[in-house]
Amino acid sequence: MTDVAAKDSLTVRDNRTGQSYDIAISDNTIAAKDLGQIRLTDDEPGLATYDPGFVNTASCRSAVTYIDGDKGILEYRGYPIEQLADKSNFLEVAYLLIHGALPSKEQYDTWVHEITYHTFVHENVKGFMHGFRYDAHPMGMLMASVGALSTFYPDARNISDADNRHMQIVRMIAKMPTLGAWSFRHAQGKPFVYPDNDLGYTANFLSMLFKMSEQKFEADPRLVKALDVLFILHADHEQNCSTNAVRSVGSSQVDPYSAVAAGVGALYGPLHGGANEAVLRMLKRIGSKENIPAFIEGVKNGNERLMGFGHRVYKNFDPRATIIKKACDDVFEVTGVNPLLEIAKELEKIALEDEYFVKRKLYPNVDFYSGLIYEAFQFPPEMFTVLFAIGRTPGWLAQWSELVQDKDQKIARPKQIYTGDRELTFTASSERWS
Ligand code: CMC
């Protein structure tokens, strides 16, 4: 029995042996390795926890993002998301996430200059992006091209050097919009547009997406602002699936481009960033308000999933969804109302009153309304998750940077409970098949 002060400890009694153990509690967690001392005999493995999907396991200490899911609170480096969305801009938020504090005027100007200076990509990137099939999904293109950047910057492997890390962080935040826009242009069969460094980050992205023969593409400032807010809302979300992927791959000490490529892959899935695309397809499939009750029945019978609803952490409301609903109004003022909005609002109303959803604490999440805005921008659904990825890049990199400097971190390597056969005798195929 270990000797830990009675307070701030957990006493566990192993009823198999009758032995009790005191395990220290710190930050409302116990160290999983402390359970390892609980064992039947000295030569058997110690007790472990079984937690598919890390539902109740902290994988790191982090000072980047705070979420209180019950109260609907989201803060980046301590600042509430509502204030950042209202008063800041995406590059300032990116600085905050990466550096841990708001920039001075000089720091901000240097940061914006650095990001702007690095928006161009090597010409060979253009070459291999042209090599994708005409109908390649832009997320697949983004994942591949971000990963490929590691071959253009082999020095990025030197992750223990702070200046080097800073260089790769700047490059990646700067180049993601270029890669994202070119994925879009490729799918449209349109020529790639080079960055216009006279424009701000988000305005330049819109220019690379939509510019045709005009000298200069200048998007409506209300749309630029709305997209910038959407980037802020997506900038980080603590240990979500893609961030966990970035951290897990990054824990092998690979370069950050390879780690972020893993994050893009994770984000691609319909249960994560791909949900915004799935919401839009769902709304189109429902087609009209009259079809909503039958659709809801299908969800309750387990034949469907109400995409854009539910969250692992938020069990009251998703603060990002509230801000997005407001951004919807600003965008529709410019573009005209998306007819699917009516179906979405009705669907939300019915679901929020239905016992199935109430009982399970299922509320609209960030993706429920974001797809409607993106469609108003005339993005095809395949592009929605690319927008999410651009917004999430500073968060991934802030978390990666924290990981590589964290002395507690080790290469990610979960345990398993083995359920397969043991000690079979192998017979060669020549004998088995004769
Ligand atoms: N529609 C219908 N039922 C649902 C839904 C939904 N969207 N979400 C959860 N449930 C049910 C689920 O079937 C389960 O019911 P029961 O207890 O009867 O088995 C219960 O609610 C708990 O769900 P869960 O799957 O155990 O919850 P989770 O924390 O593992 O999953 C989630 C969270 C976000 C993957 C899930 O709610 C979901 O699939 N939502 C739809 C996809 C979506 O909108 N994803 C975007 C998430 S926010 C942005 C992001 O992170 O990328």
Short mmCIF file of all heavy atoms in Angstrom, two decimals, residues 237 240 267 270-273 275 299 304-312 315 318 320 356-357 360 362 365-367 388, ligand 1:
data_model
loop_
_atom_site.label_atom_id
_atom_site.label_comp_id
_atom_site.label_asym_id
_atom_site.label_seq_id
_atom_site.Cartn_x
_atom_site.Cartn_y
_atom_site.Cartn_z
N HIS A 237 -9.99 23.92 -30.56
CA HIS A 237 -11.07 23.32 -29.78
C HIS A 237 -10.52 22.24 -28.87
O HIS A 237 -11.05 21.13 -28.81
CB HIS A 237 -12.17 22.78 -30.70
CG HIS A 237 -13.52 22.92 -30.10
ND1 HIS A 237 -14.41 21.90 -30.01
CD2 HIS A 237 -14.10 23.98 -29.51
CE1 HIS A 237 -15.50 22.33 -29.39
NE2 HIS A 237 -15.34 23.59 -29.08
N ASN A 240 -9.72 17.75 -29.62
CA ASN A 240 -10.66 17.11 -30.53
C ASN A 240 -9.93 16.06 -31.38
O ASN A 240 -8.71 15.93 -31.31
CB ASN A 240 -11.31 18.19 -31.42
CG ASN A 240 -10.24 18.97 -32.13
OD1 ASN A 240 -9.79 18.60 -33.21
ND2 ASN A 240 -9.75 20.05 -31.50
N LEU A 267 -9.79 15.49 -39.77
CA LEU A 267 -10.87 16.48 -39.90
C LEU A 267 -11.84 16.13 -41.03
O LEU A 267 -13.01 16.50 -41.01
CB LEU A 267 -10.25 17.87 -40.15
CG LEU A 267 -11.20 19.06 -40.05
CD1 LEU A 267 -11.63 19.26 -38.60
CD2 LEU A 267 -10.54 20.33 -40.57
N PRO A 270 -16.78 12.49 -41.56
CA PRO A 270 -18.10 13.10 -41.35
C PRO A 270 -18.48 13.30 -39.89
O PRO A 270 -19.36 14.10 -39.60
CB PRO A 270 -19.06 12.12 -42.03
CG PRO A 270 -18.33 10.84 -42.12
CD PRO A 270 -16.87 11.18 -42.22
N LEU A 271 -17.83 12.59 -38.95
CA LEU A 271 -18.17 12.82 -37.55
C LEU A 271 -17.42 14.02 -36.99
O LEU A 271 -17.67 14.46 -35.88
CB LEU A 271 -17.85 11.58 -36.70
CG LEU A 271 -18.68 10.35 -37.01
CD1 LEU A 271 -18.47 9.28 -35.96
CD2 LEU A 271 -20.17 10.66 -37.14
N HIS A 272 -16.47 14.55 -37.76
CA HIS A 272 -15.67 15.69 -37.29
C HIS A 272 -15.93 16.85 -38.26
O HIS A 272 -17.07 17.26 -38.45
CB HIS A 272 -14.21 15.24 -37.21
CG HIS A 272 -13.28 16.18 -36.52
ND1 HIS A 272 -13.67 17.27 -35.80
CD2 HIS A 272 -11.91 16.17 -36.43
CE1 HIS A 272 -12.62 17.89 -35.29
NE2 HIS A 272 -11.53 17.25 -35.68
N GLY A 273 -14.91 17.37 -38.91
CA GLY A 273 -15.09 18.56 -39.76
C GLY A 273 -15.96 18.29 -40.97
O GLY A 273 -16.58 19.22 -41.51
N ALA A 275 -18.69 17.13 -41.02
CA ALA A 275 -20.12 17.22 -40.67
C ALA A 275 -20.80 18.38 -41.39
O ALA A 275 -21.97 18.29 -41.75
CB ALA A 275 -20.29 17.35 -39.16
N VAL A 299 -34.30 9.28 -37.69
CA VAL A 299 -33.18 9.50 -36.75
C VAL A 299 -33.46 8.73 -35.46
O VAL A 299 -32.59 8.02 -34.94
CB VAL A 299 -33.00 11.01 -36.46
CG1 VAL A 299 -31.97 11.23 -35.35
CG2 VAL A 299 -32.58 11.77 -37.72
N GLU A 304 -30.97 7.08 -39.31
CA GLU A 304 -30.32 8.31 -39.76
C GLU A 304 -29.59 8.92 -38.58
O GLU A 304 -29.83 8.54 -37.44
CB GLU A 304 -31.38 9.37 -40.15
CG GLU A 304 -32.36 8.96 -41.19
CD GLU A 304 -31.94 9.43 -42.56
OE1 GLU A 304 -30.79 9.91 -42.69
OE2 GLU A 304 -32.75 9.31 -43.48
N ARG A 305 -28.75 9.91 -38.85
CA ARG A 305 -28.12 10.71 -37.80
C ARG A 305 -28.43 12.16 -38.16
O ARG A 305 -28.35 12.54 -39.32
CB ARG A 305 -26.62 10.45 -37.81
CG ARG A 305 -25.91 11.03 -36.61
CD ARG A 305 -24.73 10.17 -36.22
NE ARG A 305 -25.13 9.22 -35.21
CZ ARG A 305 -24.55 9.12 -34.01
NH1 ARG A 305 -23.54 9.88 -33.68
NH2 ARG A 305 -24.98 8.24 -33.12
N LEU A 306 -28.83 12.93 -37.18
CA LEU A 306 -29.09 14.35 -37.45
C LEU A 306 -27.74 15.06 -37.44
O LEU A 306 -27.18 15.38 -36.38
CB LEU A 306 -30.04 14.91 -36.39
CG LEU A 306 -30.36 16.41 -36.46
CD1 LEU A 306 -30.75 16.85 -37.87
CD2 LEU A 306 -31.49 16.76 -35.50
N MET A 307 -27.20 15.25 -38.63
CA MET A 307 -25.86 15.82 -38.74
C MET A 307 -25.88 17.28 -38.26
O MET A 307 -26.86 17.99 -38.47
CB MET A 307 -25.34 15.75 -40.18
CG MET A 307 -25.24 14.34 -40.71
SD MET A 307 -24.41 13.19 -39.60
CE MET A 307 -22.70 13.68 -39.78
N GLY A 308 -24.79 17.70 -37.61
CA GLY A 308 -24.73 19.06 -37.07
C GLY A 308 -25.36 19.16 -35.69
O GLY A 308 -25.48 20.24 -35.12
N PHE A 309 -25.76 18.02 -35.14
CA PHE A 309 -26.32 17.97 -33.78
C PHE A 309 -25.44 17.08 -32.91
O PHE A 309 -24.91 16.08 -33.38
CB PHE A 309 -27.74 17.39 -33.79
CG PHE A 309 -28.80 18.43 -33.67
CD1 PHE A 309 -28.97 19.38 -34.66
CD2 PHE A 309 -29.65 18.48 -32.56
CE1 PHE A 309 -29.95 20.35 -34.56
CE2 PHE A 309 -30.63 19.44 -32.45
CZ PHE A 309 -30.78 20.38 -33.45
N GLY A 310 -25.34 17.44 -31.65
CA GLY A 310 -24.61 16.61 -30.70
C GLY A 310 -23.15 16.98 -30.64
O GLY A 310 -22.58 17.52 -31.60
N HIS A 311 -22.57 16.77 -29.48
CA HIS A 311 -21.14 17.05 -29.30
C HIS A 311 -20.62 16.25 -28.13
O HIS A 311 -21.34 16.07 -27.14
CB HIS A 311 -20.92 18.56 -29.05
CG HIS A 311 -19.52 18.97 -29.33
ND1 HIS A 311 -18.52 18.85 -28.41
CD2 HIS A 311 -18.95 19.46 -30.46
CE1 HIS A 311 -17.40 19.27 -28.95
NE2 HIS A 311 -17.62 19.64 -30.19
N ARG A 312 -19.39 15.80 -28.24
CA ARG A 312 -18.80 15.04 -27.14
C ARG A 312 -18.69 15.89 -25.88
O ARG A 312 -18.87 15.41 -24.76
CB ARG A 312 -17.42 14.53 -27.58
CG ARG A 312 -16.57 13.88 -26.50
CD ARG A 312 -17.19 12.61 -25.94
NE ARG A 312 -17.40 11.57 -26.92
CZ ARG A 312 -16.46 10.76 -27.41
NH1 ARG A 312 -15.22 10.87 -27.02
NH2 ARG A 312 -16.77 9.83 -28.28
N LYS A 315 -22.92 19.98 -23.78
CA LYS A 315 -24.16 19.28 -23.45
C LYS A 315 -25.26 20.27 -23.13
O LYS A 315 -26.27 19.92 -22.54
CB LYS A 315 -23.92 18.33 -22.25
CG LYS A 315 -22.88 17.26 -22.52
CD LYS A 315 -23.28 16.30 -23.65
CE LYS A 315 -22.18 15.30 -23.98
NZ LYS A 315 -22.33 14.67 -25.29
N ASP A 318 -23.57 24.94 -27.99
CA ASP A 318 -22.25 25.16 -28.55
C ASP A 318 -22.14 26.66 -28.82
O ASP A 318 -22.86 27.19 -29.67
CB ASP A 318 -22.13 24.33 -29.85
CG ASP A 318 -20.78 24.49 -30.55
OD1 ASP A 318 -20.08 25.48 -30.27
OD2 ASP A 318 -20.45 23.62 -31.37
N ARG A 320 -20.18 28.43 -30.36
CA ARG A 320 -19.83 28.77 -31.74
C ARG A 320 -21.08 28.79 -32.62
O ARG A 320 -21.20 29.60 -33.53
CB ARG A 320 -18.81 27.77 -32.28
CG ARG A 320 -17.54 27.70 -31.45
CD ARG A 320 -16.71 26.50 -31.81
NE ARG A 320 -17.42 25.24 -31.64
CZ ARG A 320 -16.98 24.06 -32.03
NH1 ARG A 320 -15.81 23.97 -32.63
NH2 ARG A 320 -17.68 22.97 -31.84
N TYR A 356 -36.31 12.64 -27.61
CA TYR A 356 -35.11 11.89 -27.98
C TYR A 356 -33.86 12.77 -27.86
O TYR A 356 -32.86 12.38 -27.28
CB TYR A 356 -35.24 11.37 -29.43
CG TYR A 356 -33.99 10.68 -29.95
CD1 TYR A 356 -33.85 9.30 -29.85
CD2 TYR A 356 -32.95 11.42 -30.53
CE1 TYR A 356 -32.69 8.67 -30.31
CE2 TYR A 356 -31.80 10.80 -30.99
CZ TYR A 356 -31.68 9.43 -30.89
OH TYR A 356 -30.54 8.81 -31.34
N PHE A 357 -33.96 13.99 -28.40
CA PHE A 357 -32.79 14.88 -28.43
C PHE A 357 -32.58 15.55 -27.07
O PHE A 357 -31.45 15.72 -26.63
CB PHE A 357 -32.97 15.94 -29.53
CG PHE A 357 -33.07 15.32 -30.90
CD1 PHE A 357 -34.31 15.00 -31.44
CD2 PHE A 357 -31.93 15.01 -31.62
CE1 PHE A 357 -34.41 14.39 -32.67
CE2 PHE A 357 -32.02 14.40 -32.87
CZ PHE A 357 -33.27 14.08 -33.39
N ARG A 360 -30.94 13.17 -24.59
CA ARG A 360 -29.53 12.90 -24.88
C ARG A 360 -28.68 14.18 -24.93
O ARG A 360 -27.51 14.15 -25.28
CB ARG A 360 -29.40 12.16 -26.22
CG ARG A 360 -29.93 10.75 -26.15
CD ARG A 360 -30.01 10.09 -27.51
NE ARG A 360 -30.46 8.71 -27.40
CZ ARG A 360 -31.71 8.33 -27.20
NH1 ARG A 360 -32.67 9.23 -27.07
NH2 ARG A 360 -32.04 7.05 -27.09
N LEU A 362 -28.75 16.73 -27.01
CA LEU A 362 -28.24 16.97 -28.36
C LEU A 362 -28.70 18.34 -28.84
O LEU A 362 -29.89 18.60 -28.95
CB LEU A 362 -28.75 15.88 -29.32
CG LEU A 362 -28.36 14.44 -28.95
CD1 LEU A 362 -29.08 13.44 -29.85
CD2 LEU A 362 -26.86 14.26 -29.03
N ASN A 365 -24.50 21.99 -33.24
CA ASN A 365 -23.10 22.32 -33.04
C ASN A 365 -22.63 23.28 -34.13
O ASN A 365 -23.43 23.71 -34.97
CB ASN A 365 -22.24 21.04 -32.98
CG ASN A 365 -22.36 20.22 -34.26
OD1 ASN A 365 -22.23 20.75 -35.36
ND2 ASN A 365 -22.62 18.93 -34.10
N VAL A 366 -21.35 23.60 -34.13
CA VAL A 366 -20.80 24.61 -35.04
C VAL A 366 -21.13 24.33 -36.51
O VAL A 366 -21.25 25.24 -37.31
CB VAL A 366 -19.26 24.71 -34.82
CG1 VAL A 366 -18.55 23.45 -35.30
CG2 VAL A 366 -18.66 25.93 -35.46
N ASP A 367 -21.29 23.05 -36.82
CA ASP A 367 -21.46 22.69 -38.23
C ASP A 367 -22.90 22.81 -38.72
O ASP A 367 -23.14 22.71 -39.92
CB ASP A 367 -20.98 21.25 -38.45
CG ASP A 367 -19.47 21.17 -38.35
OD1 ASP A 367 -18.81 22.10 -38.84
OD2 ASP A 367 -18.95 20.20 -37.78
N PHE A 388 -12.74 24.88 -42.74
CA PHE A 388 -12.53 24.48 -41.34
C PHE A 388 -11.03 24.26 -41.11
O PHE A 388 -10.44 24.74 -40.12
CB PHE A 388 -13.35 23.21 -41.08
CG PHE A 388 -13.52 22.78 -39.66
CD1 PHE A 388 -14.64 22.01 -39.29
CD2 PHE A 388 -12.60 23.10 -38.67
CE1 PHE A 388 -14.82 21.58 -37.98
CE2 PHE A 388 -12.77 22.67 -37.36
CZ PHE A 388 -13.87 21.90 -37.02
N1 CMC B 1 -28.27 12.32 -34.28
C1 CMC B 1 -28.96 11.35 -33.62
N2 CMC B 1 -28.55 10.77 -32.49
C2 CMC B 1 -27.40 11.18 -31.97
C3 CMC B 1 -26.63 12.19 -32.59
C4 CMC B 1 -27.12 12.77 -33.77
N3 CMC B 1 -26.42 13.74 -34.39
N4 CMC B 1 -25.51 12.42 -31.85
C5 CMC B 1 -25.59 11.57 -30.82
N5 CMC B 1 -26.72 10.83 -30.90
C6 CMC B 1 -27.19 9.84 -29.91
C7 CMC B 1 -26.41 8.52 -30.04
O1 CMC B 1 -27.03 7.66 -30.96
C8 CMC B 1 -26.44 8.04 -28.63
O2 CMC B 1 -27.71 7.53 -28.38
P1 CMC B 1 -27.89 6.21 -27.43
O3 CMC B 1 -27.44 6.67 -26.08
O4 CMC B 1 -29.33 5.89 -27.53
O5 CMC B 1 -27.00 5.16 -28.03
C9 CMC B 1 -26.32 9.31 -27.79
O6 CMC B 1 -26.87 10.34 -28.62
C10 CMC B 1 -24.88 9.67 -27.42
O7 CMC B 1 -24.14 9.81 -28.63
P2 CMC B 1 -22.65 9.34 -28.87
O8 CMC B 1 -22.48 8.93 -30.29
O9 CMC B 1 -22.27 8.34 -27.81
O10 CMC B 1 -21.87 10.69 -28.57
P3 CMC B 1 -20.36 10.99 -28.93
O11 CMC B 1 -19.91 11.96 -27.91
O12 CMC B 1 -19.58 9.74 -29.07
O13 CMC B 1 -20.46 11.65 -30.37
C11 CMC B 1 -20.69 13.21 -32.09
C12 CMC B 1 -20.39 13.01 -30.61
C13 CMC B 1 -20.43 14.67 -32.43
C14 CMC B 1 -19.73 12.34 -32.93
C15 CMC B 1 -22.16 12.81 -32.38
O14 CMC B 1 -23.04 13.62 -31.63
C16 CMC B 1 -22.50 12.89 -33.86
O15 CMC B 1 -22.27 11.91 -34.60
N6 CMC B 1 -23.06 14.05 -34.35
C17 CMC B 1 -23.31 14.24 -35.75
C18 CMC B 1 -22.02 14.59 -36.47
C19 CMC B 1 -21.61 16.03 -36.20
O16 CMC B 1 -22.41 16.95 -36.25
N7 CMC B 1 -20.29 16.21 -35.94
C20 CMC B 1 -19.72 17.54 -35.71
C21 CMC B 1 -19.23 17.72 -34.32
S1 CMC B 1 -18.85 19.44 -33.92
C22 CMC B 1 -17.57 19.90 -34.96
C23 CMC B 1 -16.39 19.02 -34.92
O17 CMC B 1 -15.91 18.62 -33.86
O18 CMC B 1 -15.89 18.73 -36.00
#
